[in-house]
Structure formats: C-alpha cells, structure tokens
C-alpha cells in the first residue's frame, strides 16, 4: 500500500511563501535554443515532436514508427530504426570536422593532475577499448560492471560498451564491496572495469580490493571472467593472473579502427541500480534510441547548449543517473566541451570548484542543492575571491531546492542574473521531465515549474482526480505526481523482474495507466509544480536515494540487533538525514549503547556505503506498531524531527513513545 500524502509533514513550510517570479533576461531569451513555440508544437502533435527530436541524432536506418504502446507499460520508441549510441556521441562530431574540439577537460583531485581530450582522441580511445572488450570475448547483450572514480577511462569504458551493444552497469565507487557483489550477481556481469585505487580527500585508497572481495564472495558462482584495471593511484594491489589485466598494458595496444555496428533502437543500453522500497536494489533498464533522443534534446534545450562556445560542467558522479545522462550521453551527443572533476568540493580546500570554473571558463554549471547549501555554509567570501563571470546558466537536481539556496546560488554564482534550471527527474525517467526552459520560463525559486515540451505530468489526489492550481496563500492540497503519457527515455523495466516493474510504478493508478513517480507535489497559483519529496520509503540524502529497508536490513544484519526502523528526517544540510531506531537483542542489553551505535554505523558503511551511515541511531525498548504489525514511520519521523506526535490512535501501545523519548 502506498502511504498517504498526508505524510508530507514539515516539508511544505519553505514552499508556501508568496514568491516573485524571475523572468528570463532579454539577452538570454534572444539567443536561447528553447522557445515558447516548442510547447505548442508538442501539444499539437506530441509524437511528431518526438520524431523531430529523434532526428537530431544520426540513424543508420530511419524509424517509421515513433511509439508502440500496445504492450503498456513496456514501451517501444522508434522501434524499427537502428543506430549506434557511441557513434552519435563521438564519431559523428569528428566526421563533421570537430575532431579538434575538446570533449573533456578532466581535472583530477590532486592539483596538477589534468588532461584535455579532444573528440578525435576520444574516438580513438573508445575504439581501442571496444576492440579490447571484443578480444576479451564480450558480445552484444553481455553486461559489464564499471566500478570507477571520475576518470576519463570510466567514460571511455561506458562508450565502448555502448559501441558494442554491451550493457554497462555502473556502480558508484563509494559503494561497498558487498553492494558491488549484489550488483555483479544480479546482472551476471562478465567483466568488471575498475581502477587500482581512488583519491579521496588527498589520500589514495584502494578500489580493486573491493572488486576482489566482491568476486570472492560470489565464489564458484562468480560470472566475472576478466577484471580490467586502470592505473590511477599506483598503489599496490593484488592481481589474479589470467583474470586481471591492466588497462594501460592492453587498451593502448588495440587498434584505433573500429566500425560501429547499428543496433535496434530498443537494444538495451545500460542497467543502473537504484534504491526501491525493499532492501533489494532494482536494476533500472534503459534502451538506446529513445533514451538518447531525450537525453540529447533535454540537454540541448534545458542547458541551452552552444557546442562551439560553451564549457559545461555537471558535478555529478557517473555512478548516478545524472552522470549517465548529463555527463556522458547528453553532452557528448551534443558535441559540447565539458569539465569532468574527479574529487570532492573541499579538496584541497573550499576554493576548488570556484577555481575550476575560473580555470576553464565554465559557462554552465549543474549541481545539487546540498552542495549549494554547503557553499552557503562556507560563506560567500570564498566565491568573491574568484572570477565567475563566465557563468551564464545554472542548474539544480536531486532534491527540491529551498528558495533561500536558490536565491543565494543565483546571487553568488550567477551575479543575480543567470537563469536557474531546477530539473526534476529520476533514474527511471532517464532524462529531465519537469524543468524551466531558460530564456522562456519565469522561474519561481524552489519550483521545477512545468513539464518540458513533449512531457506530460500532473498532480492528482488519491482517486486520480486532478488537483486544482494553488492560491497565493499556500493552503492548497498536495497530491501524487504522475506521468500520464509515455516518454522516450522511460525505463523499459527492472532487470529480471517485470512483475516488480509493474507493481512498483504502474499499480497505484493502474486503471488510468499512469506512472506513479513516488513523489508528492502541489500546484502553485500559476499552475507551476512544486515537488515536495518522496512519499514512499525512499530517503533522499544529499540527492542520493537510499531506501529505509536497505539500511534496516544492514542494521539487523548485526548480531546484536533484534529489530530496526529507519526514517529520513529533515536536515538543513543534506535535505534528509538517516535516523535509525533499534531494539537490541537481550544478550546485548549490557553492552554500552555508544559502543553499539559505533558498531552499527560501521556495519551500515560496510554493507552499503558511508553515504548511508545514519546520522543518529537510537537504542529503544520498543517500536511503534499498528495492529497489523506495520512500523509507524510517520511517528518516528515526528520524534526524529522533534515535533508533536501526529495521530497515534492506530498504535497498539501509544505509551511506547515515552520509552522512545526517554531513550533518545
Ligand atoms: C528527487 C536523480 C525535487 C525526487 C535525477 C525524485 C527532485 C528522486 C529533483 C530521483 C528536483 C530529483 N526537485 N526533487 N529538481 N530532482 N528529485 O533517481 O524525489 O537519484 O523522485 O534521480 O530525486 O532520484 P534519482
């Protein structure tokens, strides 16, 4: 059962202020890629509009049918067309005479480690990597796990897979060996591409050891035939003869000639695991033609890309969907020059991002609200020491951006004149869905505004009735955000689990045939959309999706824990923070609580990732449950956020809260 939208307590206060809109600057509007006309065009004939966008790409065989929705919710877009995704991202720019344009200005975390790669060089490297993968036995349809920090080879590896019709499954390098193991196993990946180690805040730490641990953990059932290792840090790592290969000893020896094969538009492109409402991550499946169409189109219109002059920087990691769509496939398909930065924003100090903007003359900067709030905390003086005048457009993604952070971002980064595009989308949607169009939209700080041309979304109540537009005073109801028409970059399923795909996204409004996004939202007075956040059991910590069930299962994996309940509580810095409530087994009754809490935080870090470490863990004697045995997370959230308790009438034993509060 989906929780009710009334669980959105505490999330609306920053959104209910009466806010003035920011019109696009006239100079920006005059040169903008996007126009008001696009909304009308898409409205008049949505499929013809998408056909036009798809034809921005190079097709080996043109498509004749735009959408086949006859087997809904399994969509087919441009199904009889064929194309090669990597050719579209690399070769065609070289063929168009832009081989000398820089594709990637790579900036390593240690100052001084940097490298610029042109489109011609990228083509050579991708071809060499594709030839290497072929030599190692990979064929179209196979899966490769990519477990790498933000190095150019990670992007080369993704494109080499795409070129061969091999699916990549990128696993965030901050994930644990145990998380990697589960993903290798689920996808049955034949190869892992990794690095010896990675730089994290100035020191080199091993990554390859995690790969070994994951493969060993799978034992005889391991599907991995080869591990291809990029030498990044030079640290000592164990090597398994016959299985492991150094990238620098194999890839550069391969030929730079490689003829890309054309694949069906619906040929699978990648898998990306994301948290759902159960403990088991879902392998979200994306395919080629539709995904690339929407990635490329949205990147061009939302970021107003001018490939000849722009220097674009998206600060995401390729381990997340933002890195897939707005570092790899969107920007490269549009042939723009971009910055790729390996490290953390405070390495070696808080000036790093500003220095990178200055060094490369970044014109478009796309980041997450949590980072904007971090910059705010560090103080505007840092930004003032740098020349940020090259910036002409700013973007935000991953969670609702609070109006205060929005205004600060525009004022300090954008000299109070650059438009900000607040892009709402998901791993599942593949590309941006709701966002202002810079040059067209009058933006309201904190609102993602309206669906992009070609996209249809609405906010409905429990029964699926449309909500009315809001008023000036913020008393309007919140509802469910649904996508009521298929879109080209939509997920095509969950790897190996079609039933879970239907159940997760399509069952809430099955009668209407709508996709339910898992987010609550409300309309503002001009009909603009305000996203309020997840209403399922998924938390959003610094823009990272983590499910309560995943953390709970890591906690109960500790021998001392009898039961655990996890909630996301509002946090000024990270949007939400993870708060856990645990009941200890009796044999641990005497263990000091602080010691248990330390052990449990370490356990979560080991099982999932340091990013999933709870901010607080409370040892409690009992958990609040309904008569049917369901833990009432809403009440725990009230406790975690220090609020008066909501309705406790369905609790078996309302007095548990005295005990919980006493323990807190
Ligand atoms: C949230 C990241 C408000 C939302 C691209 C969504 C946002 C989840 C925004 C998907 C935004 C993302 N405003 N909320 N602009 N962008 N979200 O799969 O809750 O990592 O459902 O994709 O992030 O997270 P995911």
């Amino acid at each position: 059962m989906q929780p009710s939208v009334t669980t959105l307590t505490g999330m609306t206060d920053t959104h209910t202020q009466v806010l003035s809109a920011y019109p696009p600057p006239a100079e920006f509007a005059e040169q903008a890629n996007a126009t008001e006309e696009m909304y009308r065009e898409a409205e008049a004939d949505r499929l013809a509009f998408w056909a036009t966008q798809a034809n921005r790409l190079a097709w080996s065989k043109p498509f004749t049918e735009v959408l086949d929705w006859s087997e809904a919710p399994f969509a087919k877009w441009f199904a009889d067309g064929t194309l090669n995704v990597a050719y579209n991202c690399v070769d065609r720019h070289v063929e168009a005479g832009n081989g000398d344009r820089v594709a990637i200005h790579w900036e390593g975390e240690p100052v001084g480690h940097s490298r610029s790669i042109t489109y011609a060089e990228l083509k050579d490297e991708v071809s060499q990597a594709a030839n290497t993968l072929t030599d190692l036995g990979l064929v179209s349809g196979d899966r490769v796990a990519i477990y790498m920090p933000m190095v150019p080879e990670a992007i080369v590896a993704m494109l080499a897979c795409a070129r061969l019709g091999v699916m990549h499954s990128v696993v965030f390098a901050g994930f644990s060996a145990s998380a990697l193991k589960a993903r290798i196993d689920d996808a049955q990946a034949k190869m892992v591409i990794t690095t010896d180690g990675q730089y994290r805040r100035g020191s080199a730490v091993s990554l390859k050891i995690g790969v070994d641990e994951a493969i060993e953990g799978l034992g005889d059932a391991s599907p991995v035939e080869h591990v291809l290792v990029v030498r990044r840090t030079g640290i000592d790592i164990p090597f398994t003869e016959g299985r492991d290969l150094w990238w620098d000893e194999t890839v550069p020896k391969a030929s730079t000639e490689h003829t890309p094969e054309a694949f069906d538009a619906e040929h699978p492109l990648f898998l990306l695991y994301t948290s759902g409402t159960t403990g088991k991550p879902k392998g979200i499946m994306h395919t080629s033609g539709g995904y690339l169409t929407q990635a490329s189109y949205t990147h061009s219109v939302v970021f107003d890309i001018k490939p000849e002059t722009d220097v674009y920087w998206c600060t995401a990691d390729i381990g997340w969907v933002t890195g897939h769509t707005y570092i790899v496939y969107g920007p490269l398909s549009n042939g723009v020059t971009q910055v790729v930065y390996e490290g953390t924003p405070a390495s070696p100090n808080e000036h790093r991002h500003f220095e990178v903007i200055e060094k490369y003359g970044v014109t478009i900067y796309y980041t997450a609200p949590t980072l904007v709030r971090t910059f705010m905390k560090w103080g505007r003086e840092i930004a003032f020491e740098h020349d940020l005048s090259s910036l002409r457009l700013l973007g935000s993604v991953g969670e609702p951006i609070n109006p205060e952070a929005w205004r600060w971002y525009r004022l300090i980064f954008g000299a109070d004149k650059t438009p900000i595009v607040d892009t709402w989308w998901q791993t599942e949607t593949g590309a941006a869905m709701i966002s202002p169009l810079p040059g067209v939209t009058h933006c309201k700080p904190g609102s993602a505004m309206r669906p992009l041309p070609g996209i249809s979304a609405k906010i409905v109540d429990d029964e699926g009735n449309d909500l009315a537009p809001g008023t000036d005073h913020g008393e309007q109801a919140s509802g469910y955000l649904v996508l009521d028409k298929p879109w080209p970059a939509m997920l095509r399923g969950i790897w190996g689990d079609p039933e879970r795909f239907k159940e997760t996204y399509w069952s809430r409004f099955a009668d209407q045939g709508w996709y339910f996004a898992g987010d609550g939202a409300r309309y503002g007075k001009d009909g603009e959309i305000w996203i309020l956040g997840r209403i399922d059991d998924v938390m959003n910590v610094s823009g990272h999706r983590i499910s309560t069930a995943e953390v709970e299962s890591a906690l109960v994996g500790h021998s001392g824990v009898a039961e655990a309940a996890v909630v996301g509580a509002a946090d000024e810095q990270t949007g939400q923070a993870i708060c856990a409530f645990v009941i200890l087994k009796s044999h641990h009754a005497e263990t000091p609580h602080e010691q248990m809490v330390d052990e449990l935080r370490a356990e979560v870090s080991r099982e999932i990732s340091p990013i999933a470490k709870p901010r607080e863990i409370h040892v409690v004697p009992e958990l609040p449950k309904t008569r049917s045995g369901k833990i009432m997370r809403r009440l725990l959230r009230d406790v975690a956020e220090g609020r008066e308790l909501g309705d406790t009438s369905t609790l078996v034993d309302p007095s548990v809260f005295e005990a919980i509060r006493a323990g807190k």
Side-chain angles (χ1 to χ4, degrees):
M1 207 189 79
Q2 295 293 347
S4 140
V5 287
T6 54
T7 54
L8 289 165
T9 44
M11 301 208 61
T12 50
D13 49 336
T14 50
H15 298 282
T16 51
Q17 313 156 25
V18 180
L19 300 161
S20 54
Y22 287 70
E27 322 79 79
F28 197 103
E30 269 164 33
Q31 56 83 66
N33 291 354
T35 58
E36 182 77 44
E37 176 56 24
M38 296 180 91
Y39 290 108
R40 283 190 290 272
E41 222 182 282
E43 190 66 30
D45 190 341
R46 208 170 60 88
L47 296 186
F49 177 82
W50 281 119
T52 306
Q53 303 316 322
N55 283 321
R56 295 178 65 250
L57 305 176
W59 293 80
S60 302
K61 176 169 158 257
F63 55 88
T64 60
E65 188 183 24
V66 177
L67 169 68
D68 175 358
W69 193 226
S70 60
E71 288 167 48
F74 298 91
K76 292 197 188 88
W77 283 86
F78 317 115
D80 61 347
T82 67
L83 79 173
N84 186 286
V85 169
Y87 171 85
N88 270 279
C89 292
V90 185
D91 308 43
R92 70 172 169 143
H93 307 311
V94 179
E95 286 171 15
N98 296 317
D100 292 338
R101 182 182 299 156
V102 170
I104 297 169
H105 285 300
W106 177 74
E107 179 79 8
E109 180 172 288
V111 177
H113 288 205
S114 59
R115 194 180 149 201
S116 292
I117 303 163
T118 64
Y119 275 94
E121 288 164 345
L122 188 61
K123 175 174 177 278
D124 287 351
E125 288 196 32
V126 171
S127 300
Q128 288 176 317
N131 282 320
T132 307
L133 264 51
T134 304
D135 289 346
L136 292 171
L138 288 162
V139 295
S140 141
D142 285 345
R143 276 83 54 207
V144 167
I146 297 178
Y147 186 55
M148 296 171 93
M150 292 294 286
V151 292
E153 290 85 352
I155 297 173
V156 170
M158 290 167 76
L159 292 168
C161 289
R163 197 176 184 90
L164 297 172
V166 166
M167 292 171 90
H168 53 72
S169 159
V170 180
V171 180
F172 175 53
F175 274 136
S176 63
S178 151
L180 174 65
K181 177 181 131 191
R183 287 156 175 77
I184 292 175
D185 191 29
D186 190 73
Q188 288 292 295
K190 276 170 79 174
M191 178 187 278
V192 181
I193 307 181
T194 188
T195 59
D196 52 355
Q198 61 178 333
Y199 288 100
R200 272 294 164 253
R201 297 183 180 86
S203 49
V205 295
S206 174
L207 196 60
K208 166 70 164 47
I209 285 180
V211 176
D212 290 344
E213 213 179 300
I215 297 174
E216 270 155 34
L218 290 167
D220 290 343
S222 167
V224 177
E225 291 167 9
H226 290 288
V227 179
L228 190 53
V229 189
V230 172
R231 219 184 289 270
R232 172 64 189 113
T233 58
I235 57 174
D236 264 350
I237 51 159
F239 227 67
T240 303
E241 232 25 76
R243 185 196 71 188
D244 300 351
L245 299 131
W246 284 108
W247 177 290
D248 60 0
E249 290 173 4
T250 43
V251 177
K253 291 196 185 127
S255 163
T256 54
E257 294 301 317
H258 183 271
T259 311
E261 184 187 335
F263 295 99
D264 288 349
E266 284 299 336
H267 188 84
L269 180 62
F270 65 84
L271 274 180
L272 182 58
Y273 285 83
T274 187
S275 293
T277 51
T278 70
K280 188 173 181 280
K282 308 173 278 198
I284 302 298
M285 251 161 56
H286 282 288
T287 59
S288 305
Y291 170 80
L292 194 64
T293 293
Q294 195 178 330
S296 194
Y297 149 69
T298 54
H299 185 252
S300 170
V301 297
V302 172
F303 296 104
D304 193 50
I305 295 298
K306 306 286 191 283
E308 299 79 20
T309 46
D310 273 321
V311 179
Y312 163 89
W313 182 16
C314 166
T315 70
D317 189 286
I318 49 151
W320 312 109
V321 76
T322 306
H324 283 61
T325 306
Y326 295 112
I327 292 179
V328 182
Y329 295 109
L332 296 177
S333 67
N334 286 325
V336 71
T337 296
Q338 71 175 321
V339 170
V340 171
Y341 173 52
E342 182 186 38
T344 52
S347 189
N349 58 46
E350 293 85 352
H351 291 265
R352 193 62 189 273
H353 272 222
F354 303 102
E355 283 166 359
V356 171
I357 292 172
E358 246 184 331
K359 174 173 173 185
Y360 296 103
V362 171
T363 57
I364 303 162
Y365 179 78
Y366 185 33
T367 196
T370 183
L371 192 57
V372 175
R373 291 191 296 267
T374 303
F375 290 135
M376 286 171 78
K377 195 178 75 188
W378 290 343
R380 56 182 66 192
E381 297 70 26
I382 294 179
F384 288 163
E385 286 181 37
H386 302 277
D387 177 6
L388 306 180
S389 61
S390 56
L391 290 170
R392 66 181 194 92
L393 179 61
L394 302 170
S396 169
V397 63
E399 56 170 315
I401 180 164
N402 47 310
E404 191 196 354
W406 194 102
R407 291 200 195 87
W408 191 93
Y409 191 26
R410 173 165 150 130
L411 183 67
I412 305 302
F413 275 70
D416 212 14
K417 60 175 203 282
T418 55
I420 298 181
V421 286
D422 175 3
T423 60
W424 177 89
W425 58 295
Q426 307 178 301
T427 305
E428 292 86 342
T429 69
M433 302 292 283
I434 303 175
S435 166
L437 284 178
V440 177
T441 311
H442 292 235
C443 294
K444 297 191 189 182
S447 166
M449 302 305 292
R450 62 187 282 202
L452 288 168
I455 299 298
S456 187
K458 55 187 187 172
I459 308 170
V460 299
D461 67 13
D462 267 311
E463 280 84 47
N465 303 309
D466 283 5
L467 290 194
T471 67
D472 259 347
H473 308 292
E475 75 274 22
Q476 54 275 47
S478 52
Y480 302 93
L481 181 66
V482 298
L483 302 169
D484 58 330
K485 300 217 171 75
W487 63 101
M490 68 196 293
L491 76 166
R492 300 300 197 264
I494 294 176
W495 182 250
D497 203 345
E499 276 317 304
R500 189 174 177 196
F501 169 59
K502 287 191 211 159
E503 174 58 33
T504 309
Y505 305 105
W506 304 92
S507 65
R508 181 65 186 76
F509 295 101
D511 293 346
Q512 297 89 339
W514 297 337
Y515 170 95
F516 171 48
D519 280 312
R522 66 171 184 81
Y523 287 116
K525 81 174 166 56
D526 299 313
E528 79 280 8
I529 293 175
W530 295 79
I531 310 284
L532 300 171
R534 306 288 307 191
I535 59 171
D536 52 15
D537 294 330
V538 175
M539 300 173 287
N540 188 329
V541 182
S542 298
H544 301 322
R545 270 168 75 166
I546 300 164
S547 81
T548 53
E550 248 176 302
V551 180
E552 285 164 4
S553 107
L555 289 168
V556 297
H558 186 285
S559 62
V561 175
E563 242 192 301
V566 167
V567 295
D571 183 283
E572 261 194 25
Q573 200 61 45
T574 58
Q576 280 190 307
I578 304 178
C579 296
F581 297 83
V582 297
I583 304 177
L584 298 184
K585 286 187 184 156
S586 51
H587 66 268
H588 272 280
E590 301 304 315
T591 316
H593 286 182
E594 302 83 72
Q595 184 192 326
M596 274 308 282
V597 165
D598 288 347
E599 278 182 30
L600 290 175
R601 297 183 84 231
E603 180 82 13
V604 173
S605 191
R606 210 165 31 242
E607 272 303 306
I608 310 171
S609 162
I611 58 172
K613 250 195 275 185
R615 181 186 70 183
E616 327 169 356
I617 299 182
H618 304 291
V619 177
V620 294
E622 252 176 293
L623 291 170
K625 290 196 181 149
T626 61
R627 283 174 186 83
S628 61
K630 193 168 157 45
I631 293 173
M632 298 216 30
R633 288 209 175 69
R634 174 171 59 80
L635 295 176
L636 287 174
R637 212 152 33 225
D638 288 343
V639 175
E641 294 177 349
R643 265 193 309 278
E644 284 298 305
L645 289 187
D647 180 12
T648 57
S649 60
T650 52
L651 277 182
V652 181
D653 175 12
S655 70
V656 297
F657 279 98
E658 279 146 45
I660 290 177
R661 285 227 161 98
K664 191 172 178 247

